[in-house]
């Protein structure tokens, strides 16, 4: 690979667009970079690619990033086209230490609704007692969306 990290990342992003099966493994290696901006660039690159199973797997891996900003960005990209299969991972993010991640997870669960089989307990706790008002509002909205969705939540 090229010693210039920015050039290497640009090449990996281009490869994701033309040959995702080759590009995503290279882009995924960027998630191990020490520099959070380098990891952020990889997440942004995935955001420029069309939705796919490989893209979703990459973004799910990015939800474990040490930077809350990168977790929020990956979460945002994942939930532009929310999948019910993400519900368990989103539910786990309701316990994230950063309020922006908790708010994003609650908003994503609201989009998925009951189709994800979401347990309401943690959302109820957040709606009642999260220290951040935005998280309380998002959790309450998620509970309302789940209650209104066609299938009943578990």
């Amino acid at each position: 690979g090229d010693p210039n990290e920015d050039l290497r990342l640009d090449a990996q992003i281009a490869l994701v667009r033309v040959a995702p099966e080759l590009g995503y493994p290279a882009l995924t290696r960027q998630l191990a970079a020490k520099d959070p901006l380098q990891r952020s660039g990889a997440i942004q690159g995935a955001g420029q690619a069309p939705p796919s199973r490989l893209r979703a797997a990459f973004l799910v891996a990015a939800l474990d990033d040490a930077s809350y900003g990168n977790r929020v960005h990956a979460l945002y990209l994942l939930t532009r086209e929310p999948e019910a299969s993400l519900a368990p991972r989103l539910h786990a993010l309701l316990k994230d230490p950063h309020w922006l991640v908790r708010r994003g997870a609650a908003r994503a669960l609201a989009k998925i609704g009951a189709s994800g089989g979401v347990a309401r307990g943690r959302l109820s706790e957040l709606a009642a007692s999260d220290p951040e008002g935005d998280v309380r509002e998002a959790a309450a909205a998620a509970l309302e969306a789940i209650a209104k969705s066609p299938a009943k939540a578990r």
Side-chain angles (χ1 to χ4, degrees):
D2 194 283
N4 182 313
E5 290 180 8
D6 292 334
L7 183 59
R8 190 170 53 243
L9 180 59
D10 288 345
Q12 291 165 344
I13 292 168
L15 189 57
V16 161
R17 291 187 194 143
V18 296
E21 66 284 352
L22 298 174
Y24 275 111
L27 202 60
T28 299
R29 286 190 293 278
Q30 290 293 327
L31 293 178
K34 290 180 183 177
D35 182 1
L37 293 177
Q38 194 70 22
R39 299 189 312 266
S40 176
I43 295 167
Q44 288 176 356
Q48 297 170 18
S52 70
R53 179 187 54 77
L54 292 170
R55 178 178 177 260
F58 171 84
L59 292 171
V60 166
L63 292 174
D64 292 326
D65 196 278
S67 164
Y68 79 85
N70 287 345
R71 292 192 307 276
V72 169
H73 192 187
L75 183 57
Y76 168 76
L77 292 171
L78 270 172
T79 57
R80 286 194 296 186
E81 294 106 19
E83 295 284 332
S85 63
L86 292 174
R89 186 66 177 101
L90 296 172
H91 192 263
L93 289 173
L94 294 173
K95 296 178 182 178
D96 193 274
H98 201 279
W99 72 272
L100 285 171
V101 177
R102 294 191 309 275
R103 182 186 70 181
R107 287 178 173 175
L109 288 166
K111 288 181 182 181
I112 292 172
S115 63
V118 177
R120 295 187 222 189
R122 181 65 182 149
L123 285 169
S124 296
E125 288 173 23
L126 291 176
S129 62
D130 194 273
E132 294 292 332
D134 285 353
V135 176
R136 290 191 303 271
E137 289 174 20
L143 287 167
E144 186 175 322
I146 290 167
K148 289 180 179 178
S149 64
K152 291 292 177 201
R154 293 179 207 176

